[in-house]
Amino acid sequence: MTLISVERIKLFSTRSPYWCLGSIVLVSVLFALLVGLINNGEAAIPFFALRGVALSLDIFLVLAALSVTTEYRFGTVRSTFLAAPKRVSVLLAKTVLLGVIGAAVGLVCAMGAFFLAKALARNPPFPLELTGSTWRQTAGYAALFAVGAVISVAVGTLLRQSAGAIALLLLWPIVFEPLFTIIPTVGPKVGPWLPFAAADKFITPTTDLGDLANAIRPGGPTPVQGLLVFVGTGILLWLAAAFVVTKRDA
C-alpha cells in the first residue's frame, strides 16, 4: 500500500473532512444562489458569484491543517513514522493527497457556482461565458486550493497544535495582512504582495467592469505574479516544515 493510500484512509476515517467538504459546497452554492437571484442577477459577475468559493478556501485550510495536527494530538504520528521512517516522504504524501483533493474541490465548486449564477441571473451586467479572463477567475480556484493545502500542511507540521494552526490560518488573510497594510509608507506598498492578498489578485478581474483588482486592492502584482507569490510562500513554508519534521521528536 502506498503512502498516499495510507494518508487517504487516515484522512477519511474521521467525520471532520466530510463536514468540512460539505460546508465548502454549501457556502459556495449559497453565495452563487444569492448573486444569481438578487435584483435578477444585476451583480452576477464571476468575481461576486465566486466569493463563496473564496470564503470556502478558509474551510479547506482548516481541513488540511487538521489532517496533520490531529495526528500529533492523538499520537498516531509516531506509528506513522515508525512504519515509514522517511518522514519527508510521509509529509510529501500527505501534501500531494490534500493538494489533489483541494484542486478538485476548488475546481468543482467554482464551476458549479459559476453555472448556477449563470442559470439564475435574468439580467446580468454582461453575458456569463467562460472566455478570456473568466477562465482564470473560475478555474484559478483549483490552483489556490492546491497551494492552500501546501501552506496548511506546512503550518500544521510546524505548530503541531490544532488551535494554533487554525487560528493562524484564519487570522492570516483577514487580520494580519490587513493590519500590515496600515503601517505608514511600507504597508501600502508591501501589503498587496503579501501571500493571500496576492492570491486574491489571481482570481480578480482586470477587464470586467473596469480594473476591479486595483479598485479592491490598489497596486500590487499582476494575476500571474500574485499566483507566483502564493506558490512561493507555500514552497518556503513546506521546506521549513520538511526540515523541522526530520530534526525534532514526534
Side-chain angles (χ1 to χ4, degrees):
M1 185 177 293
T2 65
L3 281 175
I4 293 179
S5 297
V6 172
E7 292 300 328
R8 176 181 55 79
I9 293 170
K10 287 192 296 183
L11 177 65
F12 290 104
S13 62
T14 61
R15 294 181 181 179
S16 58
Y18 298 100
W19 282 105
C20 288
L21 292 174
S23 299
I24 290 170
V25 173
L26 180 63
V27 172
S28 301
V29 168
L30 285 178
F31 265 76
L33 190 67
L34 289 173
V35 170
L37 291 177
I38 293 176
N39 292 329
N40 292 320
E42 290 182 357
I45 65 171
F47 179 79
F48 295 138
L50 299 174
R51 281 294 87 185
V53 187
L55 289 176
S56 297
L57 176 59
D58 292 334
I59 302 175
F60 186 75
L61 295 179
V62 171
L63 186 161
L66 287 175
S67 71
V68 179
T69 57
T70 51
E71 286 209 62
Y72 281 101
R73 178 185 176 188
F74 294 107
T76 56
V77 70
R78 297 187 183 93
S79 301
T80 300
F81 288 155
L82 285 173
K86 294 182 179 180
R87 297 184 177 186
V88 174
S89 297
V90 174
L91 186 64
L92 180 61
K94 191 181 294 289
T95 305
V96 170
L97 173 66
L98 287 161
V100 171
I101 293 174
V105 170
L107 181 61
V108 170
C109 287
M111 288 294 180
F114 176 86
F115 284 108
L116 177 60
K118 178 180 178 179
L120 295 174
R122 295 289 180 261
N123 187 30
F126 54 84
L128 293 174
E129 301 293 341
L130 284 176
T131 57
S133 67
T134 306
W135 268 109
R136 168 177 55 79
Q137 297 171 53
T138 307
Y141 280 98
L144 297 193
F145 272 67
V147 178
V150 178
I151 292 174
S152 293
V153 169
V155 170
T157 303
L158 291 169
L159 298 184
R160 299 198 292 186
Q161 297 293 326
S162 296
I166 292 172
L168 175 59
L169 290 168
L170 293 181
L171 294 177
W172 185 350
I174 64 175
V175 176
F176 298 149
E177 288 192 1
L179 283 177
F180 187 89
T181 61
I182 67 175
I183 298 176
T185 307
V186 176
K189 296 179 180 178
V190 178
W193 291 87
L194 296 176
F196 283 94
D200 201 42
K201 284 275 192 174
F202 183 63
I203 42 84
T204 304
T206 56
T207 55
D208 303 336
L209 303 183
D211 194 345
L212 188 57
N214 280 324
I216 296 172
R217 298 180 186 273
T222 65
V224 173
Q225 289 173 336
L227 179 62
L228 292 176
V229 169
F230 200 48
V231 171
T233 303
I235 292 173
L236 290 176
L237 286 174
W238 195 91
L239 291 175
F243 175 79
V244 169
V245 80
T246 59
K247 296 299 182 181
R248 69 185 178 192
D249 295 334

